[in-house]
Amino acid sequence: MRHFIRLIAAAFVASTTLSVSAEAQSAGVRAIQGWEAVGRLNIAGRNMCTGSLIAPNLVLTAAHCLYNPQTGQAVNPRNIKFEAGLNGRRAKASRRVVKAVIHPGYRHKWSSRSEAGSDIAVLRLNRPISGSQIRPFVLAAAPTPGESVDVLSYTVNHASRPARERDCRILSTRSETLVTSCRADYGASGSPVLQMRPGHSPMLVSVISAKAQMGRKRVSLATTFDRSLRALMRRAG
């Protein structure tokens, strides 16, 4: 994969502040059942990523979100806030993070050449979010090349309302990494890659890690789940 994909930014978090004055209305998000399980991660009041509720007290995101994009230093998890279902000025639920567990295979490289594989982390919230408020996403196996997926993300241009990119295609798979046709933007790190099936709740199949180029085409890289994810959840919970 490294022979034909050029990373644009592996440290995909927004390096700007969270105060964005104007943004477009997110189209199509409300059509997704249970979209409120997606939330913005406010990182020390300066940076942002996207995360997904996968248990009442657990959030899944990209591991590199736990590092300061300016210095490369690890962020104190207690300085992160998860704003689930943020839609304008109000979130469906807001919780502080108290613990973070990173995939054992992830090695942070403070450069644009960082690898996307194993770029996942599980965050524990200070209090569970009731299922009557928000239902966590169901985890599922990675899709195969040619299948269609959606991505929901908070980005520098959609900082307080999630953007939906629909009907992206899985272009290729290799080891722990998917290449998708989604064109995610800064802040989308950790965004859920969702497989949609009529009459069913969306299934969380991967997590956005970085944007890249395949030739002249903009693509995104996503990290898939292996057996260690359940172990991460046990350690975090």
Side-chain angles (χ1 to χ4, degrees):
M1 179 175 297
R2 69 184 63 183
H3 298 300
F4 63 90
I5 292 179
R6 179 169 64 87
L7 289 184
I8 297 175
F12 204 17
V13 294
S15 58
T16 55
T17 60
L18 288 172
S19 56
V20 177
S21 58
E23 53 190 283
Q25 175 68 37
S26 307
V29 171
R30 292 179 183 273
I32 296 180
Q33 180 181 358
W35 73 266
E36 297 92 346
V38 181
R40 185 177 73 181
L41 290 172
N42 181 331
I43 304 170
R46 291 188 293 272
N47 302 305
M48 62 178 288
C49 275
T50 304
S52 302
L53 196 69
I54 56 172
N57 66 332
L58 299 179
V59 169
L60 183 66
T61 191
H64 75 256
C65 292
L66 302 178
Y67 294 85
N68 186 306
Q70 288 82 34
T71 66
Q73 298 298 309
V75 173
N76 184 341
R78 293 180 179 271
N79 291 331
I80 301 174
K81 182 169 69 171
F82 178 60
E83 300 167 299
L86 180 65
N87 191 19
R89 295 185 177 182
R90 298 187 65 178
K92 185 84 171 181
S94 181
R95 298 286 189 274
R96 288 286 176 182
V97 173
V98 294
K99 184 178 181 180
V101 180
I102 294 174
H103 190 288
Y106 179 74
R107 299 292 180 269
H108 187 68
K109 299 176 184 178
W110 187 36
S111 75
S112 62
R113 304 301 298 178
S114 294
E115 296 293 332
S118 304
D119 188 11
I120 58 173
V122 176
L123 312 178
R124 189 178 80 197
L125 306 176
N126 62 336
R127 290 183 292 117
I129 296 175
S130 168
S132 62
Q133 285 183 285
I134 301 173
R135 294 183 61 182
F137 282 127
V138 174
L139 301 174
T144 57
E147 290 193 271
S148 175
V149 293
D150 286 12
V151 172
L152 296 185
S153 59
Y154 291 88
T155 69
V156 67
N157 292 315
H158 290 82
S160 63
R161 289 185 176 87
R164 177 184 181 185
E165 192 164 4
R166 66 178 76 195
D167 295 328
C168 302
R169 294 291 170 181
I170 302 299
L171 302 177
S172 68
T173 62
R174 181 172 177 178
S175 187
E176 304 94 358
T177 306
L178 298 177
V179 182
T180 86
S181 63
C182 292
R183 300 178 61 181
D185 206 347
Y186 289 98
S189 288
S191 297
V193 178
L194 301 172
Q195 199 156 37
M196 317 296 292
R197 293 183 177 173
H200 294 82
S201 297
M203 294 182 295
L204 177 53
V205 297
S206 187
V207 166
I208 293 292
S209 177
K211 59 181 178 179
Q213 278 188 196
M214 182 185 291
R216 295 185 178 182
K217 184 176 183 178
R218 281 182 56 186
V219 297
S220 60
L221 306 183
T223 301
T224 59
F225 310 142
D226 58 22
R227 294 179 181 178
S228 65
L229 178 55
R230 294 294 177 183
L232 294 182
M233 294 173 67
R234 289 193 295 270
R235 287 174 55 197

